[in-house]
DNA sequence: GCGGCGCTACTACCT
DNA sequence: ACAGGTAGTAGCGCCGCG
């Protein structure tokens, strides 16, 4: 029979010493299916040294064959390695786990230059080789397998190859959000001691909450966990979403389940529990476990990535429409009968917000998955570099190009982009021009990549010579990166024009929009990937060539602008800020296109824009009255809320109204409020990320000192955590007075520190250029200030 | 013992 | 766990100072 299905994920099992690929999917009516394919075998390549006889090598390889996973095939095949045709051995065995062993033995054989593609996980190998791409539709000839009772899905055996089906929109994916609350009376919850008190789940229709039971012996969570397991089995979701569920909920639940002797049997393979897998994600057999925190991480505008902040920012659940409880006080709400109702509301809001986030993030994740081939549950957990790498590996397979091994190497830094010295002050009517995808287009134009690099002599008409660095790249044939980037940019263009056929609120339009975003992300990551020492296709000279070309390009663009009499105010990497003289700007765009053969476009026009002497910092007033703040304290996550608020307001007053005195009065008022204790302590918290384990700091900056205080009080801090602290009164270093805000008494806050080190510097950063001094903001002193206010009011 | 100075450490931003 | 360029604060060691 023919089966049409949407592919969710692949995995494999070894049965009777043979691997069977499990293809998890959904029919168009949304029923789970499992398609078994036992025809696929693990393999890898042996790359010989020059002039080594392949037949002899093949014989030697074969002698290594051992049960239970013999070497079943050694073939001589033609592939390409860094673009050059090579003859290699394709070595096939039976059990995927034995690949590593063979790889190590074969590596030691004389005449073997390298063993390639022996480190690609079997399920991913299948995805690439059979083009079994997650989040896309397939049609296949299958037969039903009746005797399979181990799975919570209808089981088929694959009889044909997979045929891509012409469908785009996913079927009805059953999504469930879950979230646990934990009893934490002694700081951070410890799974060995602290039970789970609530497990909440929401499927888009109904919230379920499974509560721990209290008896004389304490809180018991076994029942709640059991009920949750039954609930998941009954609901049978395709996607399970959580917020930091890979980092917290799953590991915690697994540990509690173990302690309670409960099997966390929530997958589609009966009896199988979730387990740690690639990129630190947790894999739930047969379902897609997606941690939305991974995607939240990519929203730069939100500095504190808590569920409530992210949900608020995305409009999923506004902070003022929900119950909030400080995480370190959750246990109090459990202990108190009245407060427990609030706790239940809180847990309910959390799980509904989590579900809401899935609606925001999954459409993009699905497109990224369909492009990279990484299953949906891994694509979020994988970093940008790995996402691109999987895409490259798919493309390499298509081109018959061998995938280089990952190598341990030291990063070599190199020169980057140009940043122009800004012309400080206020400028009127400024156009910001951007090169479209500058680095990808330079890579295409100059055919840059590891396989097109020429080390020796090269005829001038056959090679591009890169300015400054002098590297040479063959003009023909197009290299791997050029091919990949051309495809990415072409697809993106196609998708964007396809979008025009649909109304903006239609499902297809939205799908295509997410797809073009995913294509853009991959294209833009390619240059950085090439300069990443962890990349399989690492190529420092290539990255160096790209930045050199970028510098040359922007210099030439500046020359063109100047020759047209266009004043350049500022520029960074691929952008130029110029006086917006419409005719000249149009001519500029035309000439850049013609002379540099690159597209430059107007990104925005500022009615007014303000620069200090600092690079990478400006404030711009847009035509519609909105104000862009770039680089300044107001957009940084490590300045207090109050300082950021003041700076933003000052910027707006000065730029939109041109009223310096109004700005001064405003700052004075805030300082007075602060001194009067009218500012909430939450606006005085300084947040800084712990970027390494505490022991690895050579100095003791305030956030590290605060983190040490947290640890002392029983809290766990981990790398990547944001430490929030306030500065309290007293003597000595700031570090000596940096107290975690959850432990601080508002009475102890050193208000003068905040005046001197937060509000005044943030305000002055802008006001200084309008002739305002520190004294004008604060120097008048407290007493006279009050008098001034008094007179002011009369 | 302490303020000033210059350097280093550290973080978060921009493109 | 994609790159380099940049601004800015605080820590820290050193110097001078009867």
């Amino acid at each position: 029979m023919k089966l049409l299905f949407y592919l969710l994920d692949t995995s494999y099992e070894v049965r009777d010493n043979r691997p069977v690929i499990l293809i998890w999917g959904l029919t168009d009516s949304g029923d789970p299916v499992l398609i078994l394919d036992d025809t696929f075998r693990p393999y890898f390549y042996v790359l010989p040294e020059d002039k080594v006889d392949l037949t002899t090598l093949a014989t030697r390889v074969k002698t290594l064959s051992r049960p239970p996973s013999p070497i079943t095939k050694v073939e001589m095949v033609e592939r390409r390695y860094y673009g050059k045709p090579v003859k290699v051995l394709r070595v096939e065995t039976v059990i995927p786990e034995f690949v590593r062993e063979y790889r190590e033995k074969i590596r030691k054989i004389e005449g073997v230059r390298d063993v390639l593609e022996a480190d690609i996980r079997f399920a991913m190998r299948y995805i690439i080789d059979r083009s079994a791409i997650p989040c896309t539709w397939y049609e296949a000839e299958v037969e039903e397998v009746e005797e399979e009772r181990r799975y919570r899905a209808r089981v088929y055996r694959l009889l044909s190859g997979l045929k891509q089906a012409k469908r785009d929109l996913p079927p009805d994916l059953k999504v469930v959000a879950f979230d646990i609350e934990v009893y934490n009376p002694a700081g951070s919850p410890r799974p060995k001691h602290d039970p789970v008190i609530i497990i909440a789940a929401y499927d888009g229709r109904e919230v379920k909450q499974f509560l721990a039971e209290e008896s004389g012996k304490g809180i018991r969570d076994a029942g709640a966990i059991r009920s949750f397991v039954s609930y998941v089995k009954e609901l049978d979701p395709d996607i399970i979403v959580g917020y930091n569920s890979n980092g917290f909920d799953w590991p915690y639940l697994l540990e509690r389940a173990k302690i309670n002797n409960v099997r966390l049997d929530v997958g589609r393979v009966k009896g199988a529990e979730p387990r740690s897998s690639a990129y630190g994600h947790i894999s739930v057999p047969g379902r897609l476990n997606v941690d939305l925190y991974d995607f939240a991480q990519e929203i730069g505008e939100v500095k504190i990535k808590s569920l409530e902040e992210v949900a608020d920012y995305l409009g999923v659940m506004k902070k003022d429409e929900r119950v909030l409880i400080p995480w370190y006080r959750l246990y109090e709400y459990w202990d108190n009968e009245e407060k427990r109702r609030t706790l239940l509301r809180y847990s309910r809001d959390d799980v509904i917000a989590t579900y809401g986030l899935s609606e925001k993030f999954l459409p993009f994740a699905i497109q990224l998955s369909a492009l990279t081939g990484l299953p949906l549950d891994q694509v979020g957990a994988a970093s940008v570099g790995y996402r691109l790498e999987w895409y490259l590996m798919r493309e390499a397979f298509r081109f018959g190009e061998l995938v280089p091994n990952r190598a341990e190497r030291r990063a070599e830094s190199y020169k980057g982009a140009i940043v122009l010295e800004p012309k400080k002050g206020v400028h009127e009517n400024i156009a910001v021009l951007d090169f479209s995808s500058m680095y990808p287009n330079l890579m295409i134009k100059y055919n840059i990549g590891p396989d097109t690099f020429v080390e020796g002599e090269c005829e001038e008409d056959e090679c591009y010579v890169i300015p400054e660095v002098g590297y040479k790249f063959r003009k023909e044939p197009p290299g791997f990166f050029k091919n990949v980037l051309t495809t990415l940019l072409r697809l993106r263009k196609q998708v964007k024009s396809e979008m025009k056929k649909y109304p903006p609120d239609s499902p297809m339009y939205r799908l295509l929009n997410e797809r073009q975003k995913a294509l853009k992300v991959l294209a833009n990551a390619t240059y950085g990937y090439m300069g990443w020492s962890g990349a399989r296709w690492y190529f420092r000279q290539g990255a160096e060539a790209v930045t050199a070309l970028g510098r040359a390009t922007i210099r030439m663009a500046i020359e063109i602008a100047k020759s047209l009499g266009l004043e350049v105010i500022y520029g960074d990497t691929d952008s130029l800020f110029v006086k917006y003289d419409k005719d000249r700007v149009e001519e500029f765009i035309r000439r850049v296109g013609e002379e540099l053969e690159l597209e430059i476009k107007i990104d925005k026009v500022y009615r007014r824009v303000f620069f200090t002497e600092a690079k990478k910092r400006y404030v711009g007033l847009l035509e519609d009255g909105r104000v862009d703040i770039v680089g300044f304290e107001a957009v940084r996550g490590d300045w207090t809320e109050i300082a950021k608020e003041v700076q933003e307001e000052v910027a707006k007053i000065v730029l939109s109204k041109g009223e310096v005195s109004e700005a001064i009065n405003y700052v004075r008022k805030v300082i007075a409020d602060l001194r009067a204790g009218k500012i909430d302590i939450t606006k005085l918290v300084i947040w800084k990320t712990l970027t390494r384990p505490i022991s690895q700091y050579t100095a003791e900056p305030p956030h590290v000192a605060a983190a040490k205080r947290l640890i002392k009080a029983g809290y766990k801090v981990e790398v990547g955590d944001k430490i929030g602290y306030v500065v309290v009164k007293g003597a000595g270093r700031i570090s000596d007075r940096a107290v975690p805000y959850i432990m601080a008494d508002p009475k102890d806050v050193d208000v003068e520190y905040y005046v001197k080190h937060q509000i005044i510097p943030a305000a002055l950063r802008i006001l200084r250029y309008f002739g305002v001094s520190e004294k004008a903001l604060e120097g008048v002193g407290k007493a006279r200030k009050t008098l001034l206010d008094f007179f002011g009011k009369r």
Side-chain angles (χ1 to χ4, degrees):
Chain A
M1 60 175 283
K2 262 204 168 40
L3 183 70
L4 173 72
F5 68 97
Y6 184 77
L7 201 154
L8 296 175
D9 195 6
T10 61
S11 55
Y12 75 95
E13 288 175 358
V14 177
R15 302 178 176 181
D16 306 325
N17 284 331
R18 280 193 188 83
V20 182
I21 289 283
L22 278 60
I23 304 170
W24 297 94
L26 284 184
T27 65
D28 56 348
S29 47
D31 297 319
V33 290
L34 171 60
I35 300 128
L36 305 177
D37 184 357
D38 61 2
T39 66
F40 192 62
R41 293 292 178 269
Y43 70 89
F44 54 88
Y45 296 103
V46 181
L47 180 72
E49 304 265 19
D50 283 344
K51 291 173 194 149
V52 167
D53 179 50
L54 270 186
T55 319
T56 324
L57 196 56
T59 315
R60 290 206 55 189
V61 167
K62 281 181 201 153
T63 61
L64 296 170
S65 177
R66 294 281 181 284
S69 180
I71 291 177
T72 46
K73 234 188 238 174
V74 181
E75 291 174 291
M76 283 176 239
V77 295
E78 296 193 9
R79 294 287 185 273
R80 287 190 302 172
Y81 192 45
Y82 289 107
K84 262 175 45 191
V86 285
K87 288 196 171 69
V88 292
L89 296 178
R90 183 185 185 277
V91 181
E92 192 174 287
T93 182
V94 183
I95 305 173
E97 284 74 13
F98 283 78
V99 165
R100 178 194 297 262
E101 205 177 308
Y102 284 125
R103 175 186 70 196
E104 292 314 312
K105 285 185 177 153
I106 292 172
R107 240 180 212 158
K108 292 183 188 129
I109 298 177
E110 207 188 304
V112 170
R113 195 171 138 205
D114 218 339
V115 177
L116 298 171
E117 303 196 16
D119 57 350
I120 298 171
R121 290 188 310 278
F122 192 53
M124 282 306 293
R125 182 83 266 180
Y126 187 84
I127 287 175
I128 292 173
D129 288 40
R130 297 288 168 92
S131 198
I133 309 304
C135 300
T136 59
W137 286 93
Y138 288 95
E139 211 172 62
E141 193 61 38
V142 298
E143 65 180 8
E144 189 157 359
V145 189
E146 294 286 352
E147 63 274 20
E148 292 286 2
R149 294 280 174 271
R150 302 171 43 223
Y151 309 103
R152 299 188 176 104
R154 194 177 282 264
V155 183
Y156 301 89
R157 179 179 299 114
L158 187 66
L159 298 176
S160 66
L162 294 175
K163 217 180 107 212
Q164 198 95 37
K166 283 193 177 60
R167 284 205 185 198
D168 288 296
L169 294 172
D172 259 334
L173 296 162
K174 202 180 282 174
V175 178
V176 69
F178 86 111
D179 179 46
I180 68 171
E181 307 302 341
V182 165
Y183 195 69
N184 59 339
S188 294
R190 310 146 300 173
K192 286 212 163 47
H193 303 92
D194 304 326
V196 171
I197 44 184
I198 305 172
I199 308 173
Y202 180 54
D203 65 352
R205 287 191 266 288
E206 194 187 352
V207 173
K208 292 273 186 189
Q209 289 176 308
F210 308 101
L211 306 195
E213 292 150 25
E214 278 192 282
S215 69
K217 288 178 204 152
I219 306 168
R220 318 210 41 150
D221 52 5
I225 298 172
R226 260 188 225 109
S227 306
F228 174 65
V229 171
S230 308
Y231 166 83
V232 175
K233 281 196 280 199
E234 171 67 27
L235 183 70
D236 193 24
D238 307 307
I239 302 179
I240 304 179
V241 298
Y243 197 78
N244 196 24
S245 50
N246 286 335
F248 181 71
D249 305 63
W250 283 121
Y252 208 97
L253 269 183
L254 281 163
E255 177 114 27
R256 291 305 303 170
K258 202 169 159 194
I259 289 167
N260 282 301
N261 230 347
V262 176
R263 217 170 160 73
L264 210 59
D265 177 17
V266 291
R268 278 175 172 156
V269 176
K270 293 179 187 168
E273 293 195 299
R275 55 173 203 276
S276 292
S277 181
Y279 312 113
H281 95 288
I282 305 261
S283 165
V284 177
R287 307 191 201 281
L288 298 168
N289 170 51
V290 178
D291 188 345
L292 301 167
Y293 183 63
D294 293 327
F295 295 97
Q297 220 58 51
E298 293 169 28
I299 306 177
E301 294 90 330
V302 184
K303 310 297 171 181
I304 299 163
K305 265 84 171 179
S306 61
L307 175 57
E308 66 264 18
E309 292 295 338
V310 174
D312 182 87
Y313 175 79
L314 294 174
V316 161
M317 189 182 280
K318 288 289 172 187
K319 275 191 279 184
D320 55 12
E321 289 165 4
R322 60 158 301 170
V323 169
L324 288 170
I325 302 176
W327 58 271
Y328 51 94
R329 290 180 57 191
L330 284 170
Y331 71 98
E332 292 176 23
Y333 285 72
W334 175 263
D335 286 340
N336 177 312
E337 223 170 288
E338 259 170 63
K339 282 181 161 181
R340 192 179 289 186
R341 295 167 59 86
T342 310
L343 177 62
L344 285 165
R345 268 298 301 278
Y346 168 82
S347 134
R348 182 191 163 85
D349 287 347
D350 263 6
V351 79
I352 294 174
T354 303
Y355 188 92
L357 289 191
S358 78
E359 294 177 314
K360 296 285 175 186
F361 292 139
L362 286 182
F364 176 70
I366 285 171
Q367 292 310 313
L368 207 51
S369 172
L371 259 176
T372 59
L374 274 164
L376 193 64
D377 57 344
Q378 290 180 45
V379 78
S383 68
V384 174
Y386 288 115
R387 290 175 187 171
L388 175 64
E389 192 154 81
W390 282 111
Y391 181 77
L392 293 175
M393 284 161 73
R394 286 190 58 200
E395 288 290 87
F397 181 81
R398 207 160 66 85
F399 294 131
E401 191 58 57
L402 294 167
V403 176
N405 284 325
R406 203 175 289 294
E408 291 270 336
R409 44 171 97 82
R410 250 208 299 276
E412 303 160 274
S413 69
Y414 56 90
K415 204 165 152 191
I418 291 181
V419 187
L420 304 185
E421 212 68 61
K423 293 196 171 149
K424 68 175 171 186
V426 177
H427 305 273
E428 306 273 334
N429 202 24
I430 298 297
V432 182
L433 295 142
D434 273 354
F435 280 97
S436 317
S437 304
M438 182 198 245
Y439 285 177
N441 279 310
L442 287 172
M443 288 177 73
I444 290 171
K445 189 173 171 199
Y446 295 94
N447 201 19
I448 286 166
D451 51 346
T452 51
F453 186 61
V454 177
E455 282 196 84
E457 290 298 305
C458 184
E459 294 296 321
E460 208 175 307
D461 56 339
E462 286 181 4
C463 276
Y464 297 111
V465 182
I466 309 302
E468 283 189 72
V469 291
Y471 298 141
K472 288 167 287 201
F473 293 89
R474 192 176 300 116
K475 290 184 178 173
E476 293 290 340
F480 181 52
F481 281 148
K482 175 168 177 168
N483 281 328
V484 168
L485 283 169
T486 310
T487 309
L488 284 172
L489 297 188
R490 177 175 43 80
L491 287 176
R492 178 153 184 250
K493 219 174 225 172
Q494 265 174 26
V495 172
K496 282 181 112 175
S497 81
E498 175 88 6
M499 278 168 68
K500 291 182 190 138
K501 298 182 193 161
Y502 299 92
D505 54 353
S506 65
M508 261 319 275
Y509 184 95
R510 285 201 287 254
L511 179 145
L512 294 171
N513 191 35
E514 300 299 336
R515 184 173 293 170
Q516 69 86 11
K517 272 162 44 187
L519 286 160
K520 183 181 176 181
V521 164
L522 293 183
N524 286 345
T526 311
Y527 147 73
Y529 172 85
M530 197 165 54
W532 171 40
S533 63
R536 288 175 185 272
W537 277 278
Y538 172 61
F539 185 50
R540 194 210 73 231
Q541 292 95 323
E544 223 180 328
V546 173
T547 54
L549 287 165
R551 294 191 296 271
T553 302
I554 197 146
R555 278 194 201 109
M556 290 189 283
I558 293 168
E559 285 314 308
I560 294 173
K562 280 187 181 160
S563 75
L564 290 168
L566 272 176
E567 190 192 0
V568 178
I569 283 20
Y570 177 65
D572 183 349
T573 313
D574 61 351
S575 70
L576 285 177
F577 290 52
V578 301
K579 193 88 193 165
Y580 188 35
D581 174 332
K582 207 157 181 278
D583 293 344
R584 289 179 193 195
V585 167
E586 266 169 28
E587 175 65 4
F588 172 70
I589 291 170
R590 198 193 60 74
R591 276 191 55 190
V592 166
E594 188 183 286
E595 290 168 36
L596 307 184
E597 296 174 298
L598 289 168
E599 185 186 59
I600 196 166
K601 280 201 282 215
I602 297 179
D603 178 41
K604 50 181 89 184
V605 176
Y606 287 124
R607 209 149 69 192
R608 225 174 259 141
V609 61
F610 162 76
F611 285 93
T612 68
E613 56 270 272
K615 298 171 172 181
K616 299 192 183 277
R617 294 185 151 208
Y618 53 89
V619 186
L621 173 66
L622 291 159
E623 298 284 346
D624 61 11
R626 280 182 301 142
V627 171
D628 270 347
I629 304 186
V630 179
F632 282 111
E633 286 77 1
V635 297
R636 293 180 62 99
D638 58 351
W639 279 71
T640 57
E641 208 43 55
I642 191 70
K644 299 202 289 178
E645 215 174 275
V646 165
Q647 191 181 56
E648 183 168 348
E649 192 57 28
V650 163
K652 281 183 178 161
I653 295 171
V654 170
L655 220 61
S656 320
K657 303 190 195 166
E659 290 283 354
V660 175
S661 60
E662 186 183 331
I664 295 172
N665 287 336
Y666 164 75
V667 178
R668 285 178 176 172
K669 170 83 167 84
V670 174
I671 291 173
D673 284 352
L674 178 59
R675 285 181 169 145
K678 290 189 200 160
I679 306 288
D680 194 278
I681 189 168
T682 56
K683 288 191 170 185
L684 303 177
V685 177
I686 298 166
W687 294 94
K688 272 197 161 69
T689 310
L690 217 54
T691 61
R692 63 196 81 168
I694 297 279
S695 62
Q696 283 184 27
Y697 281 91
T698 55
E700 190 179 52
H703 70 296
V704 172
K708 286 179 180 169
R709 295 190 174 100
L710 280 174
I711 293 168
K712 217 170 165 187
Y715 296 95
K716 232 171 52 187
V717 299
E718 278 166 75
V719 173
D721 284 354
K722 282 230 191 304
I723 309 294
Y725 64 89
V726 292
V727 177
V728 298
K729 284 174 252 184
R733 308 173 304 164
I734 308 300
S735 292
D736 297 324
R737 303 190 277 128
V739 176
Y741 82 99
I742 61 170
M743 295 160 61
D745 185 333
K747 289 197 301 290
D748 299 333
V749 166
D750 181 0
V751 166
E752 291 311 311
Y753 168 83
Y754 287 94
V755 172
K756 239 179 115 88
H757 292 93
Q758 290 279 331
I759 296 180
I760 293 203
L764 229 41
R765 190 88 58 216
I766 288 161
L767 289 176
R768 245 185 68 197
Y769 299 86
F770 297 88
V772 179
S773 69
E774 176 165 0
K775 279 205 172 79
L777 295 180
E778 198 252 355
V780 274
K782 212 171 168 182
R784 276 175 64 194
K785 183 80 189 306
T786 329
L787 274 179
L788 269 177
D789 278 354
F790 178 68
F791 287 124
K793 272 171 203 149
R794 295 207 344 168

